[in-house]
Amino acid sequence: TAVEEKIWAIRDDNSDVVNRALEAGQKITKMFNDAVDRGTISEHDLFDTDYVQIEGTNPVQFRTLSLGWLDQVLPPLQEAIKEADPSMAFCAVVDRNGYLPVHNKIYSQPQRPGDVAWNMANSRNRRIFDDRAGLAAAHNTRAYLIQCYPRDMGNGVVVMMREVDVPIRVRGRHWGAFRTA
């Protein structure tokens, strides 16, 4: 009984966040599928995993064939979702390998050469998050995943995060996930 009560309490505590994440994930899934159907971006380019290192970045950033298109379509959607909930730390998409092409504006600042600690906290876009939490989000194919983890912000700063992740599918194939924290 105690375990069941705890499970229901967790569901109740997270229901608003889960519902927002599910709704956003559905919008992104529809946007991706519509773009492929219209020929705005090819399925091949959207699923590209030939991560090309961006010279002079530390931590290393990458580009893919889909980056230009994603740079155009994701910021307005992601910023609107983030602004709708003042408690939200971030929301962004990752592909199935943890590649986060476009982050929220606050975390998408140009890197400062030689300032790795600043870059870790402020230039989180175009990076591959293949840590345990990043891959759990990227690999999740269930309706949603709730996870808590310590987020390394660089320079010894660690923040505890509670995250809800929902899968993104394009033409039935698992593309990645929408992460909210």
Side-chain angles (χ1 to χ4, degrees):
T1 302
V3 171
E4 187 174 312
E5 288 175 5
K6 183 64 176 173
I7 290 170
W8 281 110
I10 291 169
R11 286 182 182 163
D12 289 345
D13 290 347
N14 292 286
S15 64
D16 289 343
V17 178
V18 168
N19 289 334
R20 274 194 300 273
L22 288 167
E23 182 180 309
Q26 290 169 352
K27 284 181 185 177
I28 293 167
T29 295
K30 182 176 178 357
M31 179 175 45
F32 282 21
N33 279 286
D34 289 350
V36 170
D37 290 345
R38 284 190 314 270
T40 305
I41 186 164
S42 71
E43 189 171 350
H44 173 267
D45 287 1
L46 192 55
F47 278 87
D48 176 38
T49 57
D50 183 19
Y51 306 110
V52 178
Q53 185 173 334
I54 299 172
E55 185 117 0
T57 57
N58 188 8
V60 178
Q61 292 179 308
F62 301 90
R63 67 175 42 91
T64 64
L65 295 174
S66 63
L67 183 59
W69 180 75
L70 294 169
D71 266 338
Q72 292 175 357
V73 301
L74 288 176
L77 180 63
Q78 290 180 169
E79 292 306 311
I81 293 166
K82 186 178 177 309
E83 289 171 12
D85 182 356
S87 69
M88 189 176 294
F90 74 84
C91 63
V93 301
V94 292
D95 76 4
R96 64 201 175 283
N97 296 315
Y99 174 60
L100 194 157
V102 180
H103 213 313
N104 299 115
K105 286 190 290 189
I106 191 171
Y107 303 116
S108 297
Q109 303 300 312
Q111 285 200 1
R112 295 179 180 172
D115 195 345
V116 177
W118 191 92
N119 297 341
M120 286 278 293
N122 300 287
S123 303
R124 299 180 73 80
N125 57 325
R126 295 163 175 58
R127 290 180 38 204
I128 297 174
F129 291 93
D130 57 3
D131 57 301
R132 195 171 95 181
L135 289 178
H139 293 167
N140 177 49
T141 57
R142 291 177 284 167
Y144 63 89
L145 169 69
I146 299 174
Q147 58 178 330
C148 294
Y149 62 93
R151 180 181 184 197
D152 182 359
M153 296 300 294
N155 215 18
V157 177
V158 176
V159 179
M160 284 304 297
M161 303 299 287
R162 179 184 60 177
E163 183 172 310
V164 178
D165 311 307
V166 296
I168 298 170
R169 286 181 172 57
V170 178
R171 291 192 170 173
R173 289 175 56 198
H174 182 232
W175 182 86
F178 178 66
R179 298 178 70 176
T180 64

Coordinates of all heavy atoms in Angstrom, one line a residue, residues 79-138:
E79 N 11.4 27.9 -27.2 CA 11.3 29.1 -26.4 C 9.9 29.4 -25.8 O 9.8 29.7 -24.7 CB 11.9 30.4 -27.1 CG 13.3 30.3 -27.4 CD 14.2 30.1 -26.2 OE1 14.1 30.8 -25.2 OE2 15.1 29.2 -26.3
A80 N 8.9 29.2 -26.7 CA 7.5 29.3 -26.2 C 7.2 28.3 -25.1 O 6.5 28.7 -24.1 CB 6.6 29.2 -27.4
I81 N 7.6 27.1 -25.3 CA 7.4 26.1 -24.3 C 8.1 26.4 -23.0 O 7.5 26.4 -21.9 CB 7.8 24.7 -24.8 CG1 6.9 24.3 -25.9 CG2 7.8 23.7 -23.7 CD1 7.5 23.1 -26.7
K82 N 9.3 26.8 -23.0 CA 10.1 27.2 -21.8 C 9.5 28.4 -21.1 O 9.4 28.4 -19.9 CB 11.5 27.5 -22.2 CG 12.4 27.7 -21.0 CD 13.9 27.9 -21.4 CE 14.8 28.2 -20.2 NZ 14.3 29.3 -19.4
E83 N 9.1 29.4 -21.9 CA 8.6 30.6 -21.3 C 7.2 30.4 -20.7 O 6.8 31.2 -19.8 CB 8.5 31.7 -22.4 CG 9.8 32.3 -22.8 CD 9.8 33.2 -24.0 OE1 8.7 33.6 -24.4 OE2 10.9 33.5 -24.5
A84 N 6.5 29.4 -21.1 CA 5.1 29.1 -20.6 C 5.2 28.6 -19.1 O 4.2 28.6 -18.4 CB 4.4 28.2 -21.5
D85 N 6.4 28.1 -18.7 CA 6.5 27.5 -17.4 C 7.8 28.1 -16.7 O 8.9 27.7 -17.0 CB 6.6 26.0 -17.5 CG 6.7 25.3 -16.1 OD1 6.8 26.1 -15.1 OD2 6.7 24.1 -16.1
P86 N 7.7 29.1 -15.9 CA 8.8 29.7 -15.2 C 9.7 28.7 -14.4 O 10.9 29.0 -14.2 CB 8.2 30.8 -14.3 CG 6.8 30.9 -14.6 CD 6.4 29.7 -15.4
S87 N 9.2 27.6 -14.0 CA 10.0 26.6 -13.3 C 10.8 25.8 -14.2 O 11.7 25.0 -13.7 CB 9.1 25.8 -12.4 OG 8.3 24.9 -13.2
M88 N 10.6 25.8 -15.5 CA 11.3 25.0 -16.4 C 12.8 25.5 -16.6 O 13.0 26.6 -17.0 CB 10.6 24.9 -17.8 CG 11.2 23.9 -18.7 SD 10.3 23.7 -20.3 CE 8.7 23.0 -19.7
A89 N 13.7 24.6 -16.4 CA 15.1 25.0 -16.6 C 15.5 24.9 -18.1 O 16.3 25.8 -18.6 CB 16.0 24.0 -15.9
F90 N 15.0 24.0 -18.8 CA 15.3 23.9 -20.3 C 14.3 22.9 -20.9 O 13.6 22.1 -20.3 CB 16.7 23.4 -20.6 CG 17.0 22.0 -20.3 CD1 16.7 21.0 -21.2 CD2 17.6 21.5 -19.1 CE1 17.0 19.6 -21.0 CE2 17.8 20.2 -18.9 CZ 17.5 19.2 -19.8
C91 N 14.3 23.0 -22.3 CA 13.6 22.0 -23.1 C 14.2 22.0 -24.4 O 14.6 23.1 -25.0 CB 12.1 22.3 -23.2 SG 11.7 23.9 -24.0
A92 N 14.5 20.8 -24.9 CA 15.3 20.7 -26.2 C 15.1 19.3 -26.7 O 14.7 18.4 -26.0 CB 16.7 21.0 -25.9
V93 N 15.3 19.1 -28.0 CA 15.3 17.8 -28.6 C 16.7 17.2 -28.7 O 17.7 18.0 -28.8 CB 14.7 17.8 -30.1 CG1 13.3 18.4 -30.1 CG2 15.6 18.6 -31.0
V94 N 16.8 15.9 -28.6 CA 18.0 15.2 -28.8 C 17.7 14.0 -29.8 O 16.6 13.5 -29.8 CB 18.6 14.6 -27.5 CG1 19.1 15.7 -26.6 CG2 17.6 13.7 -26.8
D95 N 18.7 13.7 -30.6 CA 18.5 12.5 -31.5 C 18.7 11.3 -30.7 O 19.0 11.3 -29.5 CB 19.3 12.6 -32.8 CG 20.8 12.3 -32.6 OD1 21.3 12.0 -31.4 OD2 21.6 12.5 -33.5
R96 N 18.6 10.1 -31.3 CA 18.7 8.9 -30.5 C 20.1 8.6 -30.0 O 20.3 7.6 -29.2 CB 18.2 7.7 -31.4 CG 19.0 7.4 -32.6 CD 18.3 6.7 -33.7 NE 19.0 6.5 -34.9 CZ 19.2 7.5 -35.8 NH1 18.7 8.7 -35.6 NH2 19.9 7.3 -36.9
N97 N 21.1 9.4 -30.3 CA 22.4 9.2 -29.8 C 22.8 10.3 -28.7 O 23.9 10.4 -28.2 CB 23.5 9.3 -30.9 CG 23.3 8.1 -31.8 OD1 23.1 7.0 -31.4 ND2 23.3 8.4 -33.1
G98 N 21.8 11.2 -28.4 CA 22.0 12.2 -27.4 C 22.5 13.5 -28.0 O 22.8 14.4 -27.2
Y99 N 22.6 13.6 -29.3 CA 23.0 14.9 -30.0 C 21.9 15.9 -29.8 O 20.8 15.7 -30.2 CB 23.3 14.6 -31.5 CG 23.6 15.9 -32.3 CD1 24.7 16.7 -32.0 CD2 22.8 16.2 -33.3 CE1 25.0 17.8 -32.7 CE2 23.1 17.4 -34.1 CZ 24.1 18.1 -33.8 OH 24.4 19.3 -34.5
L100 N 22.3 17.0 -29.2 CA 21.4 18.1 -29.0 C 21.7 19.3 -29.9 O 22.6 20.1 -29.6 CB 21.5 18.6 -27.5 CG 20.4 19.5 -27.0 CD1 20.3 19.4 -25.5 CD2 20.5 20.9 -27.4
P101 N 21.1 19.4 -31.1 CA 21.5 20.3 -32.1 C 21.1 21.8 -31.7 O 22.0 22.7 -31.9 CB 20.7 19.9 -33.3 CG 19.5 19.1 -32.8 CD 20.0 18.5 -31.5
V102 N 19.9 22.0 -31.2 CA 19.5 23.4 -30.9 C 18.9 23.4 -29.5 O 18.0 22.7 -29.1 CB 18.3 23.7 -31.9 CG1 17.8 25.2 -31.6 CG2 18.8 23.6 -33.3
H103 N 19.6 24.2 -28.6 CA 19.1 24.4 -27.3 C 18.4 25.7 -27.1 O 18.2 26.4 -28.1 CB 20.4 24.4 -26.3 CG 20.1 23.8 -25.0 ND1 19.0 24.0 -24.2 CD2 20.9 22.9 -24.3 CE1 19.1 23.3 -23.1 NE2 20.2 22.6 -23.1
N104 N 17.9 25.9 -25.9 CA 17.3 27.2 -25.6 C 18.3 28.3 -25.8 O 19.5 28.1 -25.6 CB 16.7 27.2 -24.2 CG 15.6 26.2 -24.0 OD1 15.8 25.3 -23.2 ND2 14.5 26.3 -24.7
K105 N 17.8 29.5 -26.1 CA 18.7 30.7 -26.3 C 19.7 30.9 -25.2 O 20.9 31.1 -25.5 CB 17.9 32.0 -26.5 CG 17.2 32.0 -27.9 CD 16.6 33.4 -28.1 CE 15.5 33.7 -27.2 NZ 14.7 34.9 -27.6
I106 N 19.3 30.7 -24.0 CA 20.1 31.0 -22.8 C 21.3 30.0 -22.8 O 22.4 30.4 -22.3 CB 19.3 30.9 -21.5 CG1 20.2 31.4 -20.3 CG2 18.8 29.5 -21.3 CD1 19.4 31.6 -19.0
Y107 N 21.2 28.8 -23.4 CA 22.2 27.8 -23.4 C 22.9 27.7 -24.8 O 23.6 26.7 -25.0 CB 21.7 26.5 -22.9 CG 21.1 26.5 -21.6 CD1 19.7 26.2 -21.4 CD2 21.8 26.9 -20.4 CE1 19.1 26.3 -20.1 CE2 21.2 26.9 -19.2 CZ 19.9 26.6 -19.0 OH 19.3 26.7 -17.8
S108 N 22.6 28.6 -25.6 CA 23.2 28.6 -27.0 C 24.1 29.7 -27.3 O 24.1 30.3 -28.4 CB 22.0 28.5 -28.0 OG 21.2 27.3 -27.8
Q109 N 24.8 30.2 -26.3 CA 25.7 31.3 -26.5 C 27.0 30.9 -27.3 O 27.4 29.7 -27.2 CB 26.2 31.9 -25.2 CG 25.0 32.3 -24.3 CD 24.1 33.4 -25.0 OE1 24.6 34.3 -25.5 NE2 22.8 33.1 -25.0
P110 N 27.6 31.8 -28.1 CA 28.8 31.4 -28.8 C 29.9 31.0 -27.7 O 30.0 31.7 -26.7 CB 29.2 32.7 -29.5 CG 27.9 33.5 -29.6 CD 27.1 33.1 -28.4
Q111 N 30.7 30.0 -28.1 CA 31.7 29.6 -27.1 C 32.8 30.7 -27.0 O 33.0 31.5 -27.9 CB 32.4 28.3 -27.6 CG 31.5 27.1 -27.4 CD 32.3 25.8 -27.4 OE1 33.5 25.8 -27.5 NE2 31.6 24.7 -27.2
R112 N 33.4 30.8 -25.8 CA 34.5 31.6 -25.6 C 35.8 30.8 -25.6 O 36.0 29.9 -24.8 CB 34.4 32.3 -24.2 CG 33.2 33.2 -24.0 CD 33.2 33.8 -22.6 NE 32.0 34.7 -22.5 CZ 31.7 35.2 -21.3 NH1 32.3 34.8 -20.2 NH2 30.6 36.0 -21.2
P113 N 36.7 31.1 -26.6 CA 37.9 30.3 -26.7 C 38.7 30.2 -25.4 O 38.9 31.2 -24.7 CB 38.7 31.0 -27.8 CG 37.7 31.8 -28.6 CD 36.6 32.1 -27.6
G114 N 39.0 29.0 -25.0 CA 39.8 28.8 -23.8 C 39.0 28.8 -22.5 O 39.6 28.6 -21.4
D115 N 37.7 29.1 -22.5 CA 36.9 29.2 -21.3 C 36.0 28.0 -21.2 O 34.8 28.2 -21.4 CB 36.2 30.5 -21.2 CG 35.6 30.9 -19.9 OD1 35.6 30.0 -19.0 OD2 35.2 32.0 -19.6
V116 N 36.5 26.9 -20.9 CA 35.7 25.6 -20.9 C 34.6 25.7 -19.9 O 33.5 25.2 -20.2 CB 36.6 24.4 -20.7 CG1 35.8 23.1 -20.7 CG2 37.7 24.3 -21.8
A117 N 34.9 26.2 -18.7 CA 33.8 26.2 -17.7 C 32.6 27.1 -18.2 O 31.5 26.7 -18.0 CB 34.4 26.8 -16.4
W118 N 32.9 28.2 -18.8 CA 31.8 29.1 -19.3 C 31.1 28.4 -20.4 O 29.8 28.4 -20.5 CB 32.4 30.4 -19.8 CG 31.3 31.4 -20.0 CD1 30.8 32.3 -19.2 CD2 30.6 31.6 -21.3 NE1 29.8 33.0 -19.8 CE2 29.6 32.6 -21.1 CE3 30.6 31.0 -22.5 CZ2 28.8 33.0 -22.1 CZ3 29.7 31.4 -23.5 CH2 28.8 32.4 -23.3
N119 N 31.8 27.7 -21.3 CA 31.2 27.0 -22.4 C 30.4 25.9 -22.0 O 29.3 25.6 -22.5 CB 32.3 26.5 -23.4 CG 33.1 27.6 -24.0 OD1 32.7 28.7 -24.0 ND2 34.3 27.2 -24.5
M120 N 30.8 25.1 -20.9 CA 30.0 24.0 -20.4 C 28.6 24.5 -20.0 O 27.6 23.8 -20.2 CB 30.7 23.4 -19.2 CG 31.9 22.5 -19.5 SD 31.5 20.9 -20.0 CE 30.8 20.2 -18.5
A121 N 28.5 25.6 -19.4 CA 27.2 26.1 -18.9 C 26.4 26.9 -19.9 O 25.2 26.9 -19.8 CB 27.5 27.0 -17.7
N122 N 27.1 27.6 -20.8 CA 26.4 28.5 -21.7 C 26.3 28.1 -23.2 O 25.6 28.7 -23.9 CB 27.0 29.9 -21.6 CG 26.9 30.4 -20.1 OD1 25.8 30.8 -19.7 ND2 28.0 30.4 -19.4
S123 N 27.1 27.1 -23.6 CA 27.1 26.7 -25.0 C 26.8 25.2 -25.0 O 27.6 24.4 -25.4 CB 28.5 27.0 -25.6 OG 28.9 28.3 -25.4
R124 N 25.6 24.9 -24.7 CA 25.2 23.5 -24.6 C 24.6 22.9 -25.8 O 24.2 21.8 -25.9 CB 24.3 23.3 -23.4 CG 25.0 23.7 -22.1 CD 24.1 23.5 -20.9 NE 23.9 22.1 -20.5 CZ 24.7 21.4 -19.8 NH1 25.9 21.9 -19.4 NH2 24.4 20.1 -19.5
N125 N 24.4 23.8 -26.8 CA 23.9 23.4 -28.1 C 25.0 22.7 -28.9 O 26.1 22.8 -28.7 CB 23.3 24.6 -28.9 CG 24.3 25.6 -29.1 OD1 25.2 25.9 -28.3 ND2 24.3 26.3 -30.2
R126 N 24.5 21.9 -29.9 CA 25.4 21.2 -30.9 C 26.3 20.2 -30.2 O 27.4 19.8 -30.7 CB 26.2 22.2 -31.7 CG 25.3 23.0 -32.6 CD 26.1 24.2 -33.1 NE 25.4 25.0 -34.1 CZ 24.2 25.6 -34.0 NH1 23.5 25.4 -32.9 NH2 23.7 26.4 -34.9
R127 N 25.9 19.7 -29.0 CA 26.8 18.8 -28.3 C 26.1 17.4 -28.2 O 24.9 17.3 -28.3 CB 27.0 19.3 -26.9 CG 28.0 20.5 -26.9 CD 28.3 21.2 -25.6 NE 28.6 20.3 -24.5 CZ 28.4 20.6 -23.3 NH1 28.1 21.9 -23.0 NH2 28.6 19.8 -22.3
I128 N 26.9 16.4 -27.9 CA 26.4 15.1 -27.7 C 26.4 14.8 -26.2 O 27.4 14.8 -25.6 CB 27.2 14.0 -28.5 CG1 27.1 14.3 -30.0 CG2 26.7 12.6 -28.2 CD1 28.0 13.4 -30.8
F129 N 25.2 14.6 -25.7 CA 25.0 14.3 -24.2 C 24.8 12.8 -24.1 O 23.7 12.3 -24.1 CB 23.9 15.1 -23.6 CG 24.2 16.5 -23.6 CD1 23.8 17.4 -24.6 CD2 24.9 17.1 -22.5 CE1 24.1 18.7 -24.5 CE2 25.2 18.4 -22.4 CZ 24.8 19.2 -23.4
D130 N 26.0 12.1 -24.0 CA 25.9 10.6 -24.0 C 26.2 10.1 -22.6 O 26.6 9.0 -22.4 CB 26.9 10.0 -25.0 CG 28.3 10.4 -24.8 OD1 28.6 11.2 -23.9 OD2 29.1 10.0 -25.7
D131 N 25.9 10.9 -21.6 CA 25.9 10.5 -20.2 C 24.7 9.6 -20.0 O 23.8 9.5 -20.8 CB 25.9 11.7 -19.3 CG 24.7 12.6 -19.5 OD1 24.6 13.1 -20.7 OD2 23.9 12.8 -18.6
R132 N 24.6 9.1 -18.8 CA 23.5 8.2 -18.5 C 22.1 8.8 -18.7 O 21.2 8.2 -19.3 CB 23.6 7.7 -17.0 CG 22.7 6.5 -16.7 CD 23.0 5.9 -15.4 NE 22.1 6.5 -14.4 CZ 22.1 6.2 -13.2 NH1 23.0 5.4 -12.6 NH2 21.2 6.8 -12.4
A133 N 21.9 10.1 -18.2 CA 20.6 10.7 -18.3 C 20.3 11.1 -19.8 O 19.2 10.9 -20.3 CB 20.6 12.0 -17.4
G134 N 21.4 11.6 -20.5 CA 21.2 11.9 -21.9 C 20.8 10.7 -22.7 O 19.9 10.9 -23.6
L135 N 21.5 9.6 -22.5 CA 21.1 8.4 -23.3 C 19.8 7.8 -22.9 O 19.1 7.3 -23.8 CB 22.3 7.4 -23.2 CG 23.5 7.8 -24.0 CD1 24.6 6.7 -23.8 CD2 23.2 8.1 -25.5
A136 N 19.5 7.9 -21.6 CA 18.2 7.4 -21.2 C 17.0 8.2 -21.9 O 16.1 7.6 -22.4 CB 18.0 7.5 -19.7
A137 N 17.2 9.5 -22.0 CA 16.2 10.3 -22.7 C 16.2 9.9 -24.2 O 15.1 9.7 -24.8 CB 16.5 11.8 -22.5
A138 N 17.4 9.9 -24.8 CA 17.5 9.7 -26.2 C 17.0 8.3 -26.6 O 16.4 8.2 -27.7 CB 18.9 9.8 -26.7

